[in-house]
PDB file of all heavy atoms in Angstrom:
ATOM      1  N   TRP A  48      -8.874 -10.200  -0.742  1.00 88.00           N
ATOM      2  CA  TRP A  48      -9.028 -10.584  -2.149  1.00 88.00           C
ATOM      3  C   TRP A  48      -7.841 -11.427  -2.557  1.00 88.00           C
ATOM      4  O   TRP A  48      -6.698 -11.017  -2.452  1.00 88.00           O
ATOM      5  CB  TRP A  48      -9.131  -9.329  -3.014  1.00 88.00           C
ATOM      6  CG  TRP A  48      -9.435  -9.581  -4.455  1.00 88.00           C
ATOM      7  CD1 TRP A  48     -10.195 -10.582  -4.967  1.00 88.00           C
ATOM      8  CD2 TRP A  48      -8.991  -8.804  -5.572  1.00 88.00           C
ATOM      9  NE1 TRP A  48     -10.265 -10.476  -6.330  1.00 88.00           N
ATOM     10  CE2 TRP A  48      -9.530  -9.390  -6.732  1.00 88.00           C
ATOM     11  CE3 TRP A  48      -8.203  -7.685  -5.702  1.00 88.00           C
ATOM     12  CZ2 TRP A  48      -9.310  -8.890  -7.996  1.00 88.00           C
ATOM     13  CZ3 TRP A  48      -7.985  -7.177  -6.970  1.00 88.00           C
ATOM     14  CH2 TRP A  48      -8.530  -7.779  -8.101  1.00 88.00           C
ATOM     15  N   LEU A  79     -14.469  -6.908  -4.165  1.00 90.00           N
ATOM     16  CA  LEU A  79     -13.858  -7.909  -5.039  1.00 90.00           C
ATOM     17  C   LEU A  79     -13.604  -9.222  -4.307  1.00 90.00           C
ATOM     18  O   LEU A  79     -13.738 -10.301  -4.881  1.00 90.00           O
ATOM     19  CB  LEU A  79     -12.557  -7.370  -5.627  1.00 90.00           C
ATOM     20  CG  LEU A  79     -12.735  -6.255  -6.648  1.00 90.00           C
ATOM     21  CD1 LEU A  79     -11.392  -5.597  -6.945  1.00 90.00           C
ATOM     22  CD2 LEU A  79     -13.382  -6.774  -7.908  1.00 90.00           C
ATOM     23  N   SER A  80     -13.244  -9.131  -3.025  1.00 90.00           N
ATOM     24  CA  SER A  80     -12.973 -10.354  -2.259  1.00 90.00           C
ATOM     25  C   SER A  80     -14.251 -11.146  -1.973  1.00 90.00           C
ATOM     26  O   SER A  80     -14.197 -12.357  -1.785  1.00 90.00           O
ATOM     27  CB  SER A  80     -12.263 -10.024  -0.949  1.00 90.00           C
ATOM     28  OG  SER A  80     -13.145  -9.399  -0.036  1.00 90.00           O
ATOM     29  N   GLU A  81     -15.394 -10.467  -1.965  1.00 90.00           N
ATOM     30  CA  GLU A  81     -16.661 -11.137  -1.664  1.00 90.00           C
ATOM     31  C   GLU A  81     -17.324 -11.739  -2.901  1.00 90.00           C
ATOM     32  O   GLU A  81     -18.306 -12.456  -2.786  1.00 90.00           O
ATOM     33  CB  GLU A  81     -17.619 -10.150  -0.992  1.00 90.00           C
ATOM     34  CG  GLU A  81     -17.144  -9.717   0.379  1.00 90.00           C
ATOM     35  CD  GLU A  81     -17.927  -8.551   0.938  1.00 90.00           C
ATOM     36  OE1 GLU A  81     -18.772  -7.966   0.209  1.00 90.00           O
ATOM     37  OE2 GLU A  81     -17.701  -8.197   2.114  1.00 90.00           O
ATOM     38  N   GLN A  82     -16.804 -11.432  -4.075  1.00 86.00           N
ATOM     39  CA  GLN A  82     -17.385 -11.938  -5.322  1.00 86.00           C
ATOM     40  C   GLN A  82     -16.655 -13.202  -5.758  1.00 86.00           C
ATOM     41  O   GLN A  82     -15.464 -13.346  -5.540  1.00 86.00           O
ATOM     42  CB  GLN A  82     -17.279 -10.887  -6.431  1.00 86.00           C
ATOM     43  CG  GLN A  82     -17.864  -9.543  -6.072  1.00 86.00           C
ATOM     44  CD  GLN A  82     -19.301  -9.624  -5.592  1.00 86.00           C
ATOM     45  OE1 GLN A  82     -20.150 -10.207  -6.264  1.00 86.00           O
ATOM     46  NE2 GLN A  82     -19.570  -9.059  -4.433  1.00 86.00           N
ATOM     47  N   ASN A  83     -17.377 -14.094  -6.381  1.00 78.00           N
ATOM     48  CA  ASN A  83     -16.752 -15.272  -6.966  1.00 78.00           C
ATOM     49  C   ASN A  83     -16.529 -14.948  -8.436  1.00 78.00           C
ATOM     50  O   ASN A  83     -17.347 -15.291  -9.296  1.00 78.00           O
ATOM     51  CB  ASN A  83     -17.636 -16.505  -6.785  1.00 78.00           C
ATOM     52  CG  ASN A  83     -16.916 -17.766  -7.188  1.00 78.00           C
ATOM     53  OD1 ASN A  83     -15.828 -17.716  -7.768  1.00 78.00           O
ATOM     54  ND2 ASN A  83     -17.513 -18.895  -6.883  1.00 78.00           N
ATOM     55  N   LEU A  84     -15.451 -14.286  -8.713  1.00 74.00           N
ATOM     56  CA  LEU A  84     -15.211 -13.773 -10.048  1.00 74.00           C
ATOM     57  C   LEU A  84     -15.028 -14.867 -11.095  1.00 74.00           C
ATOM     58  O   LEU A  84     -15.331 -14.670 -12.260  1.00 74.00           O
ATOM     59  CB  LEU A  84     -14.006 -12.836 -10.039  1.00 74.00           C
ATOM     60  CG  LEU A  84     -14.162 -11.592  -9.159  1.00 74.00           C
ATOM     61  CD1 LEU A  84     -12.881 -10.774  -9.155  1.00 74.00           C
ATOM     62  CD2 LEU A  84     -15.328 -10.753  -9.620  1.00 74.00           C
ATOM     63  N   SER A  85     -14.558 -16.024 -10.673  1.00 71.00           N
ATOM     64  CA  SER A  85     -14.368 -17.106 -11.643  1.00 71.00           C
ATOM     65  C   SER A  85     -15.700 -17.629 -12.169  1.00 71.00           C
ATOM     66  O   SER A  85     -15.777 -18.144 -13.275  1.00 71.00           O
ATOM     67  CB  SER A  85     -13.553 -18.241 -11.031  1.00 71.00           C
ATOM     68  OG  SER A  85     -14.243 -18.793  -9.937  1.00 71.00           O
ATOM     69  N   GLU A  86     -16.770 -17.492 -11.404  1.00 72.00           N
ATOM     70  CA  GLU A  86     -18.090 -17.936 -11.852  1.00 72.00           C
ATOM     71  C   GLU A  86     -18.884 -16.803 -12.493  1.00 72.00           C
ATOM     72  O   GLU A  86     -19.686 -17.028 -13.375  1.00 72.00           O
ATOM     73  CB  GLU A  86     -18.889 -18.499 -10.681  1.00 72.00           C
ATOM     74  CG  GLU A  86     -18.373 -19.830 -10.187  1.00 72.00           C
ATOM     75  CD  GLU A  86     -19.206 -20.374  -9.031  1.00 72.00           C
ATOM     76  OE1 GLU A  86     -20.284 -19.819  -8.756  1.00 72.00           O
ATOM     77  OE2 GLU A  86     -18.770 -21.352  -8.411  1.00 72.00           O
ATOM     78  N   ASN A  87     -18.685 -15.590 -12.027  1.00 64.00           N
ATOM     79  CA  ASN A  87     -19.503 -14.470 -12.473  1.00 64.00           C
ATOM     80  C   ASN A  87     -19.016 -13.811 -13.755  1.00 64.00           C
ATOM     81  O   ASN A  87     -19.778 -13.137 -14.426  1.00 64.00           O
ATOM     82  CB  ASN A  87     -19.597 -13.411 -11.374  1.00 64.00           C
ATOM     83  CG  ASN A  87     -20.297 -13.957 -10.141  1.00 64.00           C
ATOM     84  OD1 ASN A  87     -21.087 -14.880 -10.235  1.00 64.00           O
ATOM     85  ND2 ASN A  87     -20.001 -13.383  -8.994  1.00 64.00           N
ATOM     86  N   ILE A  88     -17.755 -13.963 -14.072  1.00 65.00           N
ATOM     87  CA  ILE A  88     -17.209 -13.333 -15.265  1.00 65.00           C
ATOM     88  C   ILE A  88     -16.726 -14.421 -16.210  1.00 65.00           C
ATOM     89  O   ILE A  88     -15.817 -15.173 -15.877  1.00 65.00           O
ATOM     90  CB  ILE A  88     -16.049 -12.385 -14.917  1.00 65.00           C
ATOM     91  CG1 ILE A  88     -16.546 -11.280 -13.991  1.00 65.00           C
ATOM     92  CG2 ILE A  88     -15.429 -11.800 -16.182  1.00 65.00           C
ATOM     93  CD1 ILE A  88     -15.468 -10.346 -13.506  1.00 65.00           C
ATOM     94  N   PRO A  89     -17.349 -14.522 -17.381  1.00 65.00           N
ATOM     95  CA  PRO A  89     -16.913 -15.546 -18.325  1.00 65.00           C
ATOM     96  C   PRO A  89     -15.529 -15.217 -18.889  1.00 65.00           C
ATOM     97  O   PRO A  89     -15.189 -14.068 -19.112  1.00 65.00           O
ATOM     98  CB  PRO A  89     -17.976 -15.484 -19.422  1.00 65.00           C
ATOM     99  CG  PRO A  89     -18.552 -14.118 -19.331  1.00 65.00           C
ATOM    100  CD  PRO A  89     -18.447 -13.723 -17.889  1.00 65.00           C
ATOM    101  N   VAL A  90     -14.757 -16.256 -19.090  1.00 64.00           N
ATOM    102  CA  VAL A  90     -13.424 -16.083 -19.657  1.00 64.00           C
ATOM    103  C   VAL A  90     -13.563 -16.143 -21.173  1.00 64.00           C
ATOM    104  O   VAL A  90     -14.119 -17.084 -21.722  1.00 64.00           O
ATOM    105  CB  VAL A  90     -12.467 -17.195 -19.160  1.00 64.00           C
ATOM    106  CG1 VAL A  90     -11.114 -17.054 -19.814  1.00 64.00           C
ATOM    107  CG2 VAL A  90     -12.360 -17.143 -17.649  1.00 64.00           C
ATOM    108  N   ARG A  91     -13.065 -15.118 -21.834  1.00 67.00           N
ATOM    109  CA  ARG A  91     -13.133 -15.052 -23.292  1.00 67.00           C
ATOM    110  C   ARG A  91     -11.761 -14.744 -23.841  1.00 67.00           C
ATOM    111  O   ARG A  91     -10.958 -14.078 -23.198  1.00 67.00           O
ATOM    112  CB  ARG A  91     -14.107 -13.969 -23.730  1.00 67.00           C
ATOM    113  CG  ARG A  91     -15.521 -14.225 -23.289  1.00 67.00           C
ATOM    114  CD  ARG A  91     -16.438 -13.144 -23.794  1.00 67.00           C
ATOM    115  NE  ARG A  91     -17.765 -13.364 -23.225  1.00 67.00           N
ATOM    116  CZ  ARG A  91     -18.699 -12.462 -23.189  1.00 67.00           C
ATOM    117  NH1 ARG A  91     -18.490 -11.272 -23.689  1.00 67.00           N
ATOM    118  NH2 ARG A  91     -19.866 -12.733 -22.666  1.00 67.00           N
TER     119      ARG A  91
END
Side-chain angles (χ1 to χ4, degrees):
W48 186 33
L79 290 168
S80 72
E81 293 169 353
Q82 306 306 308
N83 189 350
L84 298 177
S85 62
E86 289 181 11
N87 297 335
I88 299 176
V90 177
R91 297 182 186 163

